Amino acid sequence: MSWFESFILGLVQGLTEFLPISSSAHLRLTAAFAGWHDPGAAFTAITQIGTETAVLIYFRKDIGRILSAWFRSLTDKAMRGDHDAQMGWLVIIGSIPIGVLGVTLKDQIEGPFRDLRLIATTLIGMGIVLGIADRLAARDEAGGRHRVVKERKTLKDLSVRDGLIFGACQAMALIPGVSRSGATISGGLLMGYTREAAARYSFLLAIPAVLASGLFELTEAGEGHVSWGPTIFATFIAFGVGYAVIAWFMKFITTKSFMPFVIYRILLGVLLFVLVGAGVLSPHAGESGG
């Protein structure tokens, strides 16, 4: 991997990690369109450490408060009813599905799941799901002639059941094209949560999974599958760009619809099917590289 490739891929990772359009799919597609080798699951996992560091800094007050309350609740029974302490447990519980499936499906994640036809399918499929979830949320918020405005749930309403459902949605993002934020936000909206609550829990829930995945790949990087210099450079680029995207996205979702992302996902998926069907792109383009 060249330094120019790492710069572009780091930029793509930072721009797409927190938007509901799938960063892993865009890294894969960027390489395929440019004629580069597929950066691979290891590169994706390690550069995600950069974007998750941006999450840690952006949500540092929330995270610090949750960690403090959670640790105190381990010895202080009175703290176990505290919302922040409960959030700590709910983040742990919600991380179980992706942890189990991430280890179980490791070979598929690094191989068959990176087929461009599958990515096109998940881009379109999850785009439709996100569109339906967004419309339902908008209907509740706006009400109508024969409907009253329906109050949606906040993170204070989060239960163990909902946490596990959020976690199952996040696990779907192991398939490139699904999108971690797209799946978890869609799941949250379908369960009746506000856009802001679904996005906030989505970002918090991603921290253990992404950091664990990145650190796991770091332990295996000695086998020679990672170009260290360019990968570290891309990770720093992803951090800087990712932080700016988080700040913009959290403001965007308070007043805007997800429909632009829905349309983008569907159009990109259709384009990908057309290019593969016409023979312009091989469904395994670039896969021979590491």
Side-chain angles (χ1 to χ4, degrees):
M1 178 183 293
S2 70
W3 291 97
F4 176 71
E5 288 178 39
S6 69
F7 171 76
I8 297 299
L9 293 173
L11 188 64
V12 170
Q13 168 65 26
L15 285 171
T16 60
E17 172 66 16
F18 304 111
L19 303 180
I21 55 176
S22 179
S23 62
S24 56
H26 279 76
L27 289 174
R28 176 79 176 88
L29 293 177
T30 299
F33 285 134
W36 302 335
H37 290 314
D38 179 0
F43 176 88
T44 301
I46 292 171
T47 54
Q48 282 179 335
I49 293 177
T51 47
E52 284 311 303
T53 302
V55 172
L56 292 173
I57 294 176
Y58 186 85
F59 291 107
R60 60 190 180 278
K61 293 181 180 178
D62 299 61
I63 295 169
R65 195 176 62 248
I66 290 170
L67 286 175
S68 174
W70 182 79
F71 277 113
R72 282 184 289 152
S73 73
L74 297 178
T75 56
D76 185 355
K77 291 183 179 181
M79 284 296 299
R80 294 175 188 175
D82 182 83
H83 171 67
D84 289 324
Q86 292 174 345
M87 275 297 296
W89 285 112
L90 289 168
V91 168
I92 294 172
I93 291 170
S95 301
I96 293 174
I98 197 170
V100 173
L101 292 176
V103 173
T104 305
L105 301 177
K106 185 176 185 298
D107 291 339
Q108 287 75 17
I109 294 167
E110 296 178 349
F113 284 2
R114 302 184 76 78
D115 187 302
L116 295 183
R117 292 165 297 190
L118 177 59
I119 291 175
T121 301
T122 53
L123 280 169
I124 295 171
M126 185 51 64
I128 293 171
V129 172
L130 179 61
I132 293 172
D134 186 69
R135 292 293 295 175
L136 291 174
R139 186 181 67 179
D140 287 348
E141 294 164 356
R145 179 177 296 179
H146 303 294
R147 294 190 308 271
V148 296
V149 174
K150 183 178 179 181
E151 186 175 350
R152 303 206 118 222
K153 293 189 284 188
T154 69
L155 289 184
K156 290 186 178 181
D157 301 306
L158 190 63
S159 64
V160 172
R161 168 188 168 275
D162 289 357
L164 284 172
I165 293 175
F166 267 111
C169 292
Q170 177 180 237
M172 293 171 58
L174 292 169
I175 304 173
V178 170
S179 169
R180 186 188 311 275
S181 64
T184 50
I185 290 173
S186 294
L189 293 179
L190 290 172
M191 286 189 288
Y193 286 87
T194 65
R195 290 185 176 89
E196 193 274 339
R200 187 172 291 269
Y201 184 61
S202 171
F203 291 159
L204 294 175
L205 188 61
I207 295 172
V210 171
L211 293 181
S213 174
L215 293 174
F216 177 77
E217 292 294 348
L218 283 174
T219 63
E220 297 200 338
E223 297 179 6
H225 298 303
V226 177
S227 301
W228 275 111
T231 299
I232 293 173
F233 177 58
T235 302
F236 276 100
I237 296 294
F239 161 74
V241 176
Y243 187 89
V245 171
I246 295 174
W248 172 81
F249 187 63
M250 292 305 293
K251 292 179 180 178
F252 175 88
I253 60 174
T254 58
T255 58
K256 306 293 184 181
S257 164
F258 287 118
M259 290 310 294
F261 302 113
V262 172
I263 295 169
Y264 172 77
R265 288 181 64 104
I266 293 174
L267 290 178
L268 180 59
V270 170
L271 175 63
L272 194 52
F273 269 128
V274 170
L275 293 176
V276 171
V280 176
L281 278 180
S282 163
H284 307 288
E287 280 188 0
S288 60

